Amino acid sequence: MKMAKLVFDTSSLISVSENCLMRIISAISSEKNAELIIPEGVYYESVAHPLQIRRFELNALRIKDAVDSGAIKIMKLNAAAKNSAKSIESLANNLFEISGEKISLVHAGEIETLALSHSINADLIVMDERTTRMLVEDAYRLRDRMEEKYESKVDIDTEKLAELQGMFAGAKIVRSVELIAYAYEKGYFEPELKKTRLALEAALYAAKYGGCAVSLEEIQQFLKSAR
Amino acid sequence: MEPSQKLLEFVRRMEGAFGKQSIIELKDISNDAIQLAALKSSHLLSEVSLIAYSLHKLLTKVHIAESGEWDALRDEIEKDLDSALEMIGKNDLKGFEKALHGVIGGIAAVDSELGNYVQGTYDKARIKQASRAYSFGISLSRAAELTGADKKELLQYIGATKMHDEEIVKFGIGERLKELKKALGK
């Protein structure tokens, strides 16, 4: 069976670890057909850096343990991925403009995740952050949102957008809430939590209030159909 | 490139508002400055925003305003704001930044002598205004980098807002879950 490659960004990793749900990561990783990967920059942001700050040490240790146990693999950007990163940065950060002013939307951390996903042809990108996800999935909606907030016309460079969309055609993005929903179905909450609807609901809300870009409506809609 | 003219305008407004102890004006200045900072990726505008937000916050605290030490601390902050204005007037960005750091030091001194919390006012301003910058459409990491906010704290702060409830959903949990199962071969 083909090994599924899931590339995580910092937001999703923090979200999962913050809610003491690292066992989900270990359980998915132990399915033997999934490879959970983070770029070096994500390791720095979620482990190496916060380990130096008392308030954030515990969370960083949870992620470090998952890396040390082999549940999460750190991957360096090779030359091709570095080239992809350059292209993504140039496209994403020159895509929108207001009154001739280009808007620098995304940062090296998010770019690294996208570049690695692109270069290894990842099956899924795991990302709780909203802007980068919308950039890949629906740049026009992101543009509309920015127009609303800035109360100004936001122009899109359609050639750059086409190129960016070409790089991520078919890319699938999931968030920590989908990992939680999957873990619930598979019984991965146990033994810490019983497989109950209440446990699912609590875990989904915890992810949302931890910063996962998911709406209350989405959660409520999903819970209606969840068994 | 840092927008010197805008910086001058904002610091002038901020100095006036702080002198008048106008809490609402300081907050408006902070919000206007972070909006422009996000658009122009300007760290100095971001610092101006965070300072304005911190000053607004300090002025809302009765125990600070009524303390005997406040007058002297406020004078120090005003001196540094004067200096910042002078530097940006000369287009001396290094001198301007140094003067801004003097103001930030003044805010930290107020926290240290009169504050009740471990986390300082300026650090809280980072989170608050990073969240605002994110709401304008820049990414989480970009917002964190612009303000110096910690990403984990920023995520939690954003999670407590209604920001993500305002989005129109393209793919819901059910659809994304299907993709996850497909990838994992279930």
Side-chain angles (χ1 to χ4, degrees), chain A residues 41-60:
Chain A
V42 168
Y43 184 79
Y44 174 78
E45 283 186 335
S46 57
V47 179
H49 177 63
L51 268 182
Q52 296 160 27
I53 307 165
R54 256 184 215 152
R55 271 191 301 161
F56 307 134
E57 259 182 310
L58 182 61
N59 212 39

Side-chain angles (χ1 to χ4, degrees), chain B residues 11 13 20 29 58 61 69 72 85 87 115 121 125 136 145 158 162 181-182 184-186:
Chain B
V11 177
R13 278 174 66 194
K20 287 187 287 180
I29 292 164
L58 293 183
K61 292 176 182 170
E69 293 143 275
L85 206 51
M87 292 301 155
T121 305
F136 280 101
E145 191 241 348
I158 289 167
K162 291 182 176 173
K181 287 178 183 172
K182 206 163 109 186
L184 294 174
K186 308 288 159 186

Side-chain angles (χ1 to χ4, degrees), chain B residues 32-33 43 47 86 104 114 142 148 162 165:
Chain B
D32 292 347
H43 285 92
E47 283 195 0
E86 190 190 329
I104 296 165
L114 305 171
R142 176 65 79 189
K162 291 182 176 173
D165 295 317

Side-chain angles (χ1 to χ4, degrees), chain B residues 69-138:
Chain B
E69 293 143 275
W70 172 237
D71 285 348
L73 291 163
R74 192 187 57 207
D75 286 349
E76 283 303 310
I77 291 173
E78 280 178 341
K79 265 187 218 162
D80 284 321
L81 283 174
D82 272 345
S83 168
L85 206 51
E86 190 190 329
M87 292 301 155
I88 197 64
K90 289 192 237 170
N91 206 18
D92 177 354
L93 290 179
K94 276 194 177 163
F96 176 69
E97 195 169 9
K98 197 175 164 197
L100 288 187
H101 290 169
V103 182
I104 296 165
I107 293 164
V110 177
D111 277 332
S112 157
E113 290 178 37
L114 305 171
N116 294 327
Y117 295 95
V118 176
Q119 191 180 29
T121 305
Y122 192 77
D123 281 338
K124 286 182 192 161
R126 288 183 203 273
I127 304 296
K128 168 75 190 160
Q129 294 307 70
S131 155
R132 196 171 179 83
Y134 177 73
S135 80
F136 280 101
I138 63 171

